[in-house]
Amino acid sequence: MAENCNHNCDSCGQNCSSRTAPNSFMAEANAGSHVKKIIGVVSGKGGVGKSMTTSLLAVAAARQGKKVGILDADITGPSIPHMFGYHGRATGDGTNMYPAQSNGGVNLMSINLLLENPEDPVVWRGAMIAGAVKQFWTDVAWGELDYLFVDMPPGTGDVPLTVFQSLPIDGIVVVTSPQDLVFMVVEKALRMAEKMDVPVIGIVENMSYVKCPDCGKRINIFGECNVEAMAGPHGIGRFAHLPIDPALAAACDAGKVEEAPEEYVNEVAQLLI
């Protein structure tokens, strides 16, 4: 035992005979939840289409006949219920909370389903936000699910850390856009995943191109795509490329993401594990 030992092995770097195993932060799932795979959807910065990608992944899995849920972990900027056209409230029985369900059968849990007015801001500090996300795992009875997708806020702060440590994540999908500045920030998310021993399933490059409505030519308005080059050092081999398409944006805005064009749903479906 080291001198002046305070018996707190979590904060000590000494390798002594009295050392105990570090405490696990893994949270126990709700007794009413039986989830086969949990996939987090992350980005280094906001505005790159992370929630849209999460929704398309859920739609892709649902179209394959899977039972699917989305945990909206973006507490201060929730958009999942709107994308699925759901404007009701989540329910509970005093012991458990129960997710809402979209027209296509996707289970949804979001802070917006608990607010009196969905437009009210959530003005909480990081610890409260992280605690709410954890409760969406421990207190929500998700039922039998093949996939639970976690739509995380951008960055590498409290919520991603809580999800990585508290939920049994099977892997993450990283969302980016073609600009070099975004790649630099996304690199931080990739390195965080590596430090937390969370597998990176693949990368979605959103706003990758625009297709000319007359000739069909692809125009890279933000520059040539080089997401594969960025992913190479990390051993990532699966990619999806989504265009700027007013029809897809309109479907999300109208709450009809479940009616998204087949080609885009199929593009992200290759990232399902």
Side-chain angles (χ1 to χ4, degrees):
M1 182 181 296
E3 276 188 53
N4 302 319
C5 178
N6 63 5
H7 305 287
N8 182 5
C9 297
D10 289 344
S11 61
C12 175
Q14 297 292 326
N15 186 22
C16 68
S17 59
S18 300
R19 185 172 182 84
T20 59
N23 293 327
S24 172
F25 295 100
M26 195 64 64
E28 187 173 348
N30 185 281
S33 300
H34 304 281
V35 182
K36 294 180 181 178
K37 291 186 182 297
I38 303 178
I39 298 177
V41 182
V42 307
S43 65
K45 67 185 302 296
V48 296
K50 175 180 46 58
S51 295
M52 183 189 73
T53 298
T54 304
S55 300
L56 288 176
L57 283 165
V59 171
R63 289 185 185 181
Q64 293 178 3
K66 306 297 184 182
K67 296 178 180 178
V68 185
I70 298 179
L71 189 163
D72 188 354
D74 197 347
I75 301 296
T76 60
S79 58
I80 292 298
H82 182 85
M83 285 197 176
F84 283 84
Y86 191 90
H87 304 290
R89 301 282 296 279
T91 59
D93 58 11
T95 301
N96 301 310
M97 288 189 291
Y98 298 99
Q101 195 169 80
S102 72
N103 291 331
V106 176
N107 290 320
L108 309 172
M109 178 51 69
S110 171
I111 195 68
N112 259 15
L113 302 179
L114 305 176
L115 300 176
E116 288 288 342
N117 181 2
E119 295 180 356
D120 286 343
V122 177
V123 187
W124 293 349
R125 294 191 183 275
M128 289 185 65
I129 293 173
V133 171
K134 191 173 179 179
Q135 283 186 284
F136 283 171
W137 174 243
T138 59
D139 295 2
V140 175
W142 287 98
E144 299 280 345
L145 293 182
D146 295 300
Y147 288 100
L148 177 64
F149 296 98
V150 183
D151 181 23
M152 285 196 260
T156 56
D158 287 335
V159 170
L161 183 61
T162 296
V163 171
F164 288 165
Q165 290 183 325
S166 303
L167 275 63
I169 298 287
D170 291 283
I172 62 169
V173 170
V174 179
V175 184
T176 183
S177 59
Q179 301 96 323
D180 286 342
L181 176 61
V182 177
F183 283 158
M184 182 271 292
V185 180
V186 167
E187 181 73 21
K188 296 179 183 291
L190 293 175
R191 293 189 181 188
M192 179 183 185
E194 290 174 350
K195 285 187 176 182
M196 303 296 295
D197 293 323
V198 177
V200 179
I201 299 167
I203 298 179
V204 174
E205 186 178 69
N206 189 33
M207 297 179 279
S208 183
Y209 61 90
V210 171
K211 186 181 292 186
C212 175
D214 296 323
C215 67
K217 180 182 178 181
R218 291 191 177 191
I219 305 170
N220 300 317
I221 61 173
F222 292 125
E224 291 294 328
C225 307
N226 60 354
V227 65
E228 286 84 355
M230 178 187 70
H234 299 278
I236 303 168
R238 289 204 270 182
F239 309 95
H241 299 272
L242 295 173
I244 298 174
D245 187 335
L248 180 57
C252 293
D253 288 344
K256 297 180 179 180
V257 70
E258 289 173 297
E259 300 176 16
E262 192 75 17
E263 61 180 306
Y264 305 141
V265 176
N266 290 341
E267 180 69 15
V268 300
Q270 61 185 312
L271 300 179
L272 295 175
I273 57 174

